[in-house]
Amino acid sequence: MVHSMKKNNFLTTLKEMPMSIWNSVFRNNLPHTDLGRSKTSFTNFFLHIHPVKVHKHTLKPWFTMGLGLISLFLFIILTVTGVLLMFYYVPSTTQAYDRMLDLRGSVAFGVFLRNMHRWAAHGMVAAVFLHMCRVFFTGSYKKPREFNWVIGVFLFLLTLFSSFTGYLLPWDQLAFWAITVGTAIAGYAPVVGEQMRFLLLGDTTVGQEALLRFYVLHIAVLPIVMFLLVAVHFWRIRKDGGLSRPEDADVVETPEVTAPASVPAPAMAMAAASGSSGIVVLEKKHYGIQGLVRGPFTKVGNVPENTVFSYPNLLLAELFVFVLTVAGVIIVSAYFNAPLEEPVNVMHPPNPAKAPWYFLGLQEQVSYSAFWGGVGVPAIEVLILLLVPYFDRGVKGVGKWFAKERLLANTLFMVFVVVNIILIIIGTFFRGQNWEFVSPF
Amino acid sequence: MKMRLALAIASILILVVHGFIFYKQFFHKWETYQASYFDQARTLAKTDQEKDALSGRSAKIEQIIVTQFGNERVDRCTTCHIGSDDPRFKDAPHPYKAHPYSAELGDKQGADGKWERRHKFSDMGCTVCHDGQGRGLEEFYAHGEDEFWNDPMIGYVTQENWKYKDKLKGKEFMQANCAQCHTDKEFKSTPLVNKGRELFIQKNCYGCHRIEGISNGTLGPDLSEVGKKWKLDYIYESIVDPRANSKTSFMPKFNLSDDEVKALAIFLKSRRGFNYAETNLDRYRMTLNKGQVTPPAPVTDKSPVPAANDPVARGEQLINERACVACHKIGDKDGGIAPDLSFEGLIKEDKWVAAHFKDPRALVPDSIMPTFGFSDADYQAMTAYLVSQKKTPSLNNPQEIYTNLCLRCHGDKGDGHGTIATYLDPYPRDFTNAGFMNSKTDDRLMNSIKNGVPGTSMPAWGKVLNDDQVKGVLTYINQNFTKEARTEIKKRDVPEKNPVADTPESVAAGESIYLQRCTGCHGRKADGKGPNSLDILPRPRNLLNAGFINKAEDRRLFESILYGVQGTAMPPWIDYGLSKDDVGNVINYLRSLNKNKKDLVAMCH
């Protein structure tokens, strides 16, 4: 009997095996209850970055336009295609160009991989910049999100630098001269300029050492730093109370709850901080660790039912942005080939030698004044960007596009954006031989 | 729900695009070619052996990896040209067509009628002879039609934007690649490379251009790697129209026939900085010899006429052989590039001519005349011939004088744009510039005509013309070109001699003023090539021109600096706060720059 029971048990075990494997991987089944939905977000490694519930305002497509997500997905696409490209690439001045020809000639999906990587890189520079504009124009960098804005600015600079270091790798004329111009701009910095340039190039001119350094920066150093900063960036979004939203976002939709809720909020936070009494509430309402979030955005007891479950609402929205991003990149990659110019000829600069497009604004400024255009003004711009949330301490107009209360700040930022875009357009289309003004028409 | 629908639509979109990409990826033209080749080969296969050979083969990328010629080459040409070494396909259309056998290429036909190739494809690959992009698998890239590929299939494929594409087709262009290994100067299968090499010497290209192992010219770009760096079209264009690609080039447009240009272009295309026949030891020896000027003189050796004994006759012979009139004018032969030598015996001394031959820029610092490395005896003979040119021209009126002596440089409109003006530095004076002309005294202008302008190409016409003739020409110039009545010239308070003593302190003070005020136009090196110089006509004076500066009196320099030069960009520095002492310091500085070249001044006239 014991024997048969054992056998029976074993059979049952076998029978249940697929389900137990499934259950061990996915801690709960597809959810049908609110408890299940929160657990899904909560217990999944990849989903637990989400809050269990998000505010409805966060899901409004025209508020974020998904720009941050697009940036992230482009980063992921770049990582995947980049790793694949690494299987073929050799950072050597004698081999790099031949490897490009191989990618184009005989590697399966070689052209397509290169195209995806190239266009996604350009796209990411644009998306990150636009994301920054969105955050500014909606006033979302204000307290308590100041430092996340600072991280964002660093991420933007890293994105530029990643794209720039990648630009050299094909080792064609376009790459060589763009980097020659770009690093020459770095050389204009006072005192440390030349040393900085030398450190970057490992030589006085762009050559094998520079190629190797750019390669290592491009495939290891910068992605790792960016990965960490992105993680912090996301973590802080949650810790700072989710995406920004206007003060009246809750008032309008659930006016009856707001009034009484304003009283217990501080008390609630205190309770949560001191321990046990908070947890009771949390269990009852299935808010999980959310209750520990500090600050005025704490949801517990404060913002009752203007939120929806992240699973599936947020997830679906993210998936949608992901699919759109991938679709955009592959469609562009199917129709436009990444450029590959002549092999490097150090004796023959193209005229004009142009930096990558996102640095053409800089190059245009450099054509007016080497120091101010290349170093002075950009340094001041970056400094101001970093300090923006500490200059602008007003709390009005958060979470609304072009809020009336922020007319001055928005106007100033708009001028900064438009001027830079105009400079880039001039540098890209209106500059011909010897950097003389030409009409593209 | 709406979101889910949108998501579904977007996903389907991605799927469709993927389908398209996969289709593009997996259906290659070369596979079609190979399939067709195998079909045809199967019907052609007669023996069992042939059939067996075929049965083991399937469609795949074929490649030949060549390691013995320069960097590793990967030639995938045979992926499409899969029948290239299959004699059964000798009459098939491209891309199946077999490469023809050719006795000229060294292929041998055995007793059984079978040919054996001299240049085995498995050893050589394809691009070593044909150029093109061996790694490409699409015709557009593989054949080098892509404008970013420097070496399209030579002689066969030209690129869309090539200016001279009509002239650049024909398999004789491939000789440029034969010469990569067959470096023998007399190699009979590369007649055009050989001819090009001869022309390179004959037309004096070597005087300006360096090609490793052939010449050491320094005036023009080094052409040792020209074939590797430039497309055939660019090389051709640079010979036919030197300023097409470089506006500042002073290379003359030589009068060459199409065949000559072609030979030169092919020869230059064969210069790739290395050749496969060289050993590393050869290359090392070459670098050891680099500093040594070993002038090529094959033209002399090949001279059909035996050397004459009389130095003048010998000189004439040499000057004709060396194509001096490819640039200069002597009598009625005119190359249209360099000064007239018809009156050389009258206007120059033999000492000057001999010294100028040896180092033209010691006497005329901005001259474009190359230093040819001829033997001393040759130089003596050539000098003897030139100074024998003493026939005084019979010139009856100022107009004839101007036309015969001045017009070639100063132009028929007197504006300084004569036929050879572009090749002269300083540029010939513009007589229509009334501001300048009327700010100078008659004496000064007469002096320039009579005694020439030292350090420039303006000769001392006083040795050909008498005072009345000089005066006549000046009047002619004034009436026809300047056209403004002479005006009273302001007397200016300028010292005859520099009042500031020539001390090291004064020179140092002068230098610091120079660096602050003058470098924008005259350049940091004082060579007249400052950043603004290109926008200025007349060009800023080269202040390192010892012949000119040392001959110019203090008074003249003082006046030019303090009160400016009217009609030019030189401003009156007195208005910008320079005192007489400052100017004196600057003059001492300028003189110090030219001090060690004093012995040359004696040579100038």
Side-chain angles (χ1 to χ4, degrees):
Chain A
M1 193 182 140
V2 174
H3 185 76
S4 77
M5 237 182 81
K6 247 190 182 171
K7 205 176 177 184
N8 206 8
N9 272 350
F10 184 64
L11 270 176
T12 324
T13 314
L14 267 187
K15 233 159 111 190
E16 284 171 354
M17 191 179 248
M19 216 46 219
S20 22
I21 293 178
W22 177 268
N23 286 337
S24 73
V25 178
F26 302 99
R27 293 201 178 92
N28 41 291
N29 296 325
L30 283 179
H32 301 289
T33 60
D34 284 355
L35 178 64
R37 288 189 187 101
S38 32
K39 269 190 169 172
T40 303
S41 297
F42 214 68
T43 55
N44 182 308
F45 176 79
F46 295 102
L47 296 182
H48 93 282
I49 195 160
H50 298 128
V52 170
K53 295 189 92 178
V54 285
H55 199 278
K56 279 181 183 162
H57 186 265
T58 301
L59 291 174
K60 286 187 175 167
W62 297 114
F63 179 64
T64 62
M65 303 202 221
L67 286 163
L69 278 177
I70 291 176
S71 308
L72 171 73
F73 294 139
L74 287 172
F75 183 69
I76 292 170
I77 291 174
L78 283 165
T79 311
V80 173
T81 53
V83 167
L84 291 174
L85 285 171
M86 275 168 68
F87 284 112
Y88 295 100
Y89 184 76
V90 182
S92 139
T93 53
T94 52
Q95 285 194 58
Y97 188 79
D98 284 346
R99 294 301 178 129
M100 291 297 124
L101 296 181
D102 279 348
L103 276 174
R104 186 167 71 190
S106 49
V107 173
F109 298 107
V111 183
F112 189 62
L113 270 183
R114 249 200 94 206
N115 292 351
M116 276 184 83
H117 197 73
R118 181 110 185 172
W119 302 135
H122 286 327
M124 187 172 159
V125 171
V128 173
F129 182 73
L130 291 175
H131 175 56
M132 184 168 86
C133 295
R134 191 284 289 174
V135 171
F136 194 97
F137 290 130
T138 56
S140 307
Y141 55 83
K142 287 170 183 280
K143 204 177 171 192
R145 300 182 178 81
E146 301 104 314
F147 192 66
N148 222 10
W149 163 269
V150 174
I151 293 173
V153 173
F154 278 116
L155 277 169
F156 174 57
L157 296 178
L158 282 166
T159 306
L160 282 180
F161 196 47
S162 290
S163 189
F164 181 68
T165 48
Y167 217 79
L168 181 65
L169 304 186
W171 201 247
D172 62 348
Q173 281 286 78
L174 185 68
F176 181 87
W177 292 103
I179 302 306
T180 303
V181 171
T183 51
I185 294 176
Y188 291 132
V191 192
V192 292
E194 276 307 308
Q195 279 87 335
M196 212 162 71
R197 188 166 173 270
F198 190 84
L199 190 72
L200 206 55
L201 296 184
D203 198 345
T204 47
T205 53
V206 179
Q208 174 62 61
E209 296 309 313
L211 183 58
L212 190 55
R213 283 178 192 210
F214 275 50
Y215 177 70
V216 173
L217 286 172
H218 185 75
I219 63 125
V221 180
L222 296 174
I224 290 171
V225 175
M226 277 176 88
F227 182 84
L228 286 175
L229 283 188
V230 168
V232 177
H233 200 60
F234 287 169
W235 185 77
R236 287 193 76 105
I237 293 177
R238 286 193 58 193
K239 296 301 157 184
D240 294 338
L243 298 194
S244 70
R245 55 188 167 274
E247 283 168 2
D248 54 6
D250 301 319
V251 180
V252 176
E253 288 173 36
T254 55
E256 72 280 8
V257 199
T258 318
S262 62
V263 184
M268 206 56 232
M270 289 285 284
S274 62
S276 58
S277 68
I279 290 169
V280 178
V281 181
L282 293 176
E283 276 175 355
K284 217 162 89 187
K285 302 196 97 187
H286 317 301
Y287 281 120
I289 203 93
Q290 192 87 53
L292 289 172
V293 173
R294 64 185 155 75
F297 293 90
T298 308
K299 292 188 183 87
V300 182
N302 185 11
V303 187
E305 288 315 319
N306 220 355
T307 56
V308 290
F309 280 97
S310 296
Y311 185 97
N313 299 293
L314 179 58
L315 199 69
L316 217 55
E318 288 176 348
L319 205 59
F320 184 64
V321 175
F322 176 72
V323 167
L324 277 191
T325 310
V326 173
V329 172
I330 63 171
I331 288 172
V332 171
S333 303
Y335 285 97
F336 300 97
N337 278 348
L340 184 66
E341 294 195 350
E342 291 98 337
V344 168
N345 180 351
V346 292
M347 299 304 288
H348 173 51
N351 190 355
K354 286 190 179 181
W357 65 267
Y358 39 82
F359 283 148
L360 281 181
L362 271 189
Q363 198 178 348
E364 176 66 20
Q365 291 177 43
V366 168
S367 74
Y368 308 132
S369 156
F371 170 73
W372 284 110
V375 182
V377 171
I380 292 170
E381 282 175 350
V382 169
L383 202 68
I384 292 179
L385 277 183
L386 289 173
L387 293 178
V388 151
Y390 307 102
F391 285 130
D392 180 12
R393 301 302 287 173
V395 287
K396 286 269 158 51
V398 175
K400 269 186 291 186
W401 277 90
F402 303 112
K404 270 193 205 119
E405 299 90 331
R406 297 179 20 81
L407 190 62
L408 178 66
N410 283 338
T411 311
L412 287 177
F413 194 74
M414 191 56 114
V415 169
F416 160 78
V417 170
V418 169
V419 165
N420 275 290
I421 289 176
I422 287 176
L423 284 172
I424 286 177
I425 289 174
I426 293 177
T428 312
F429 299 109
F430 291 87
R431 290 297 178 179
Q433 286 204 339
N434 305 323
W435 211 251
E436 270 156 18
F437 195 85
V438 291
S439 166
F441 310 111
Chain B
M1 209 55 224
K2 239 201 263 171
M3 185 67 108
R4 284 171 203 233
L5 188 68
L7 196 59
I9 292 170
S11 307
I12 288 167
L13 182 71
I14 291 198
L15 205 66
V16 170
V17 180
H18 267 101
F20 172 70
I21 288 159
F22 273 75
Y23 179 84
K24 248 188 20 181
Q25 189 60 48
F26 290 123
F27 295 88
H28 296 290
K29 223 170 167 186
W30 60 263
E31 284 176 279
T32 327
Y33 289 145
Q34 289 200 357
S36 166
Y37 167 79
F38 290 134
D39 282 350
Q40 293 176 53
R42 259 178 227 115
T43 55
L44 285 170
K46 290 184 189 89
T47 62
D48 286 345
Q49 207 187 347
E50 281 178 339
K51 281 176 188 157
D52 284 352
L54 270 172
S55 66
R57 294 179 71 180
S58 60
K60 65 169 203 273
I61 296 176
E62 303 278 341
Q63 59 182 6
I64 302 169
I65 298 173
V66 186
T67 46
Q68 60 261 57
F69 300 111
N71 294 332
E72 185 184 88
R73 283 163 182 265
V74 178
D75 285 352
R76 305 198 172 108
C77 315
T78 46
T79 306
C80 290
H81 298 277
I82 187 166
S84 58
D85 210 7
D86 187 340
R88 294 171 300 184
F89 282 77
K90 73 174 165 34
D91 296 322
H94 280 300
Y96 313 105
K97 191 176 161 64
H99 194 290
Y101 292 101
S102 148
E104 207 190 335
L105 285 175
D107 300 343
K108 285 204 182 83
Q109 196 171 19
D112 55 352
K114 275 193 177 165
W115 284 85
E116 200 192 341
R117 293 194 194 279
R118 177 81 176 77
H119 302 85
K120 288 196 172 55
F121 298 166
S122 53
D123 293 343
M124 303 267 173
C126 313
T127 55
V128 78
C129 298
H130 284 273
D131 281 346
Q133 195 187 97
R135 287 171 189 260
L137 282 177
E138 278 171 60
E139 200 177 319
F140 178 77
Y141 292 118
H143 291 185
E145 287 167 53
D146 172 19
E147 66 166 311
F148 296 121
W149 188 249
N150 281 341
D151 303 308
M153 280 173 61
I154 192 165
Y156 291 93
V157 173
T158 55
Q159 288 168 3
E160 198 50 43
N161 57 355
W162 282 17
K163 240 186 246 174
Y164 296 90
K165 50 182 159 187
D166 308 338
K167 310 203 175 213
L168 300 176
K169 282 202 175 176
K171 58 181 170 188
E172 62 271 28
F173 279 94
M174 278 173 58
Q175 291 176 19
N177 280 344
C178 304
Q180 299 296 302
C181 301
H182 302 284
T183 51
D184 179 7
K185 279 187 196 113
E186 309 291 333
F187 189 65
K188 67 174 183 355
S189 299
T190 56
L192 286 169
V193 175
N194 306 350
K195 187 181 167 195
R197 187 189 281 109
E198 267 169 39
L199 285 168
F200 185 76
I201 305 296
Q202 253 177 37
K203 297 290 173 185
N204 291 332
C205 311
Y206 75 95
C208 296
H209 293 285
R210 175 174 183 275
I211 290 183
E212 201 172 83
I214 295 180
S215 64
N216 280 299
T218 52
L219 283 177
D222 187 333
L223 301 180
S224 305
E225 298 190 357
V226 68
K228 187 170 86 181
K229 286 179 178 162
W230 301 107
K231 297 176 188 180
L232 197 54
D233 185 60
Y234 184 94
I235 294 175
Y236 198 96
E237 182 179 48
S238 302
I239 301 172
V240 189
D241 185 4
R243 264 170 291 284
N245 289 301
S246 163
K247 277 185 192 151
T248 51
S249 165
F250 54 76
M251 171 164 152
K253 256 189 202 180
F254 288 99
N255 194 9
L256 299 165
S257 70
D258 271 9
D259 282 345
E260 288 173 321
V261 179
K262 185 183 197 174
L264 270 171
I266 292 175
F267 166 67
L268 290 177
K269 190 67 191 166
S270 75
R271 299 297 106 188
R272 300 202 173 185
F274 59 89
N275 62 59
Y276 307 130
E278 267 171 11
T279 63
N280 289 340
L281 193 60
D282 291 338
R283 286 190 63 73
Y284 180 62
R285 286 203 178 110
M286 194 99 84
T287 57
L288 286 183
N289 282 331
K290 211 175 246 174
Q292 204 179 326
V293 179
T294 45
V299 188
T300 329
D301 305 332
K302 279 195 176 176
S303 167
V305 192
N309 289 326
D310 171 33
V312 175
R314 171 78 185 130
E316 183 174 10
Q317 207 180 343
L318 286 168
I319 278 179
N320 287 331
E321 276 171 9
R322 283 173 183 166
C324 299
V325 288
C327 296
H328 287 282
K329 177 171 191 274
I330 301 179
D332 47 6
K333 284 185 206 147
D334 186 354
I337 285 160
D340 189 352
L341 304 178
S342 313
F343 318 105
E344 203 68 356
L346 292 170
I347 56 182
K348 294 285 196 291
E349 289 163 20
D350 52 356
K351 220 168 47 174
W352 190 94
V353 176
H356 182 265
F357 262 132
K358 286 232 158 145
D359 186 1
R361 270 165 301 287
L363 297 167
V364 185
D366 295 310
S367 163
I368 63 163
M369 169 131 169
T371 310
F372 298 100
F374 302 143
S375 70
D376 281 354
D378 284 1
Y379 277 142
Q380 275 161 22
M382 287 160 78
T383 307
Y385 171 71
L386 284 182
V387 295
S388 75
Q389 302 293 305
K390 285 196 172 165
K391 212 179 121 207
T392 314
S394 68
L395 302 162
N396 300 318
N397 56 48
Q399 190 180 353
E400 266 182 34
I401 295 173
Y402 185 85
T403 314
N404 281 292
L405 304 183
C406 316
L407 184 136
R408 212 158 156 272
C409 302
H410 292 281
D412 53 0
K413 296 194 188 74
D415 53 6
H417 298 311
T419 45
I420 72 164
T422 22
Y423 305 112
L424 300 178
D425 189 3
Y427 208 79
R429 183 65 67 193
D430 172 7
F431 300 136
T432 62
N433 182 342
F436 176 85
M437 295 299 282
N438 282 345
S439 71
K440 301 293 170 229
T441 61
D442 279 356
D443 277 356
R444 157 86 186 271
L445 298 177
M446 290 266 288
N447 183 51
S448 292
I449 301 176
K450 268 164 71 179
N451 299 323
V453 183
T456 76
S457 298
M458 177 73 181
W461 292 117
K463 291 171 181 168
V464 180
L465 309 171
N466 60 37
D467 280 8
D468 286 346
Q469 283 174 311
V470 171
K471 206 167 267 173
V473 172
L474 188 56
T475 317
Y476 175 83
I477 289 170
N478 197 26
Q479 284 168 356
N480 289 283
F481 306 132
T482 316
K483 288 182 182 162
E484 263 177 41
R486 303 283 289 165
T487 44
E488 184 98 359
I489 289 160
K490 261 188 230 160
K491 275 268 172 249
R492 269 153 180 166
D493 175 26
V494 177
E496 280 304 315
K497 280 267 162 238
N498 188 356
V500 182
D502 182 8
T503 60
E505 293 77 37
S506 159
V507 170
E511 180 173 10
S512 75
I513 297 169
Y514 179 86
L515 289 177
Q516 276 174 30
R517 306 292 186 109
C518 316
T519 51
C521 300
H522 290 283
R524 271 183 170 271
K525 287 190 250 167
D527 57 1
K529 300 201 166 40
N532 303 335
S533 66
L534 285 176
D535 303 329
I536 297 172
L537 260 181
R539 298 253 187 272
R541 185 71 70 178
N542 175 358
L543 303 172
L544 296 179
N545 187 334
F548 180 85
I549 296 289
N550 292 352
K551 203 83 177 177
E553 294 147 1
D554 282 354
R555 198 190 51 76
R556 176 168 170 187
L557 296 179
F558 236 101
E559 186 173 353
S560 295
I561 301 174
L562 208 52
Y563 296 103
V565 182
Q566 280 67 46
T568 75
M570 180 76 176
W573 285 101
I574 194 165
D575 296 350
Y576 296 92
L578 284 199
S579 68
K580 277 189 185 158
D581 281 354
D582 291 338
V583 175
N585 290 333
V586 171
I587 289 174
N588 281 335
Y589 168 64
L590 295 181
R591 295 249 184 252
S592 78
L593 292 175
N594 294 289
K595 212 167 246 174
N596 52 356
K597 304 179 203 157
K598 259 194 176 140
D599 51 326
L600 294 174
V601 184
M603 206 77 85
C604 301
H605 311 298

